[in-house]
Amino acid sequence: MRIPRSEFDAQLEQGDLLAGPQEDEVSEIVAKKSSNWMTKMLQSALFARLTATNIQKIFWRMEQIAVESDEVAVKQGGFGEYYYVVERGYCKVSCQIRGEKEIHLADLGPGEAFCEAALIANDERNASLTMLSQGT
């Protein structure tokens, strides 16, 4: 799943993601669309600072992207326009430094996120993400 950078930036500019009244409790949001990936994501440090209302807004803006096994979902060097969360499946994070052999950095599964560094730094992706199985 991914959140378009333009949507995320617009919400940050309006302050909608960082403050505001809480209309729903996190448990109510999870009950509306529950799964293991969502629970893990809600327990992450990134989401710990957001209000339940803002978490709900993020979930509403997410879109599912189906990916195949061995598909490169994110390419190192590309510009960061999305924040990704693994809903289903597994993937590996790797990078190449100065054209050398690929270095395996991590494996990710449901509820784990990636590509936040490029969004925060407004820079190129510093790693590639390749699916190890089918997923979303």
Side-chain angles (χ1 to χ4, degrees), residues 3-134:
I3 303 167
R5 180 186 184 95
S6 59
E7 291 286 331
F8 192 76
D9 288 345
Q11 293 299 313
L12 281 176
E13 285 178 21
Q14 295 172 12
D16 289 345
L17 291 178
L18 301 176
Q22 292 189 358
E23 295 170 7
D24 289 332
E25 292 296 320
V26 171
S27 60
E28 293 171 335
I29 295 170
V30 172
K32 290 177 185 174
K33 186 178 178 184
S34 182
S35 70
N36 291 336
W37 72 269
M38 189 179 294
T39 301
K40 187 170 184 175
M41 190 173 99
L42 288 171
Q43 293 170 344
S44 73
L46 178 66
F47 282 82
R49 299 186 68 203
L50 298 175
T51 65
T53 299
N54 292 330
I55 292 170
Q56 186 177 34
K57 288 178 183 179
I58 289 171
F59 284 145
W60 285 339
R61 287 180 173 83
M62 294 178 98
E63 57 184 281
Q64 283 189 329
I65 305 298
V67 287
E68 297 297 322
S69 182
D70 296 322
E71 181 177 342
V72 177
V74 173
K75 181 108 172 108
Q76 181 178 349
F79 188 72
E81 295 190 12
Y82 294 97
Y83 173 75
Y84 294 85
V85 178
V86 179
E87 178 181 16
R88 183 180 54 83
Y90 294 89
C91 50
K92 70 174 181 176
V93 180
S94 60
C95 71
Q96 285 189 315
I97 301 173
R98 294 183 218 100
E100 297 293 322
K101 184 178 176 184
E102 180 179 277
I103 300 168
H104 180 265
L105 300 174
D107 291 326
L108 303 177
E112 295 183 285
F114 53 99
C115 295
E116 67 280 358
L119 286 176
I120 293 167
N122 198 27
D123 203 357
E124 295 179 347
R125 305 272 187 213
N126 57 16
S128 293
L129 186 117
T130 305
M131 294 304 296
L132 298 172
S133 65
Q134 282 188 324

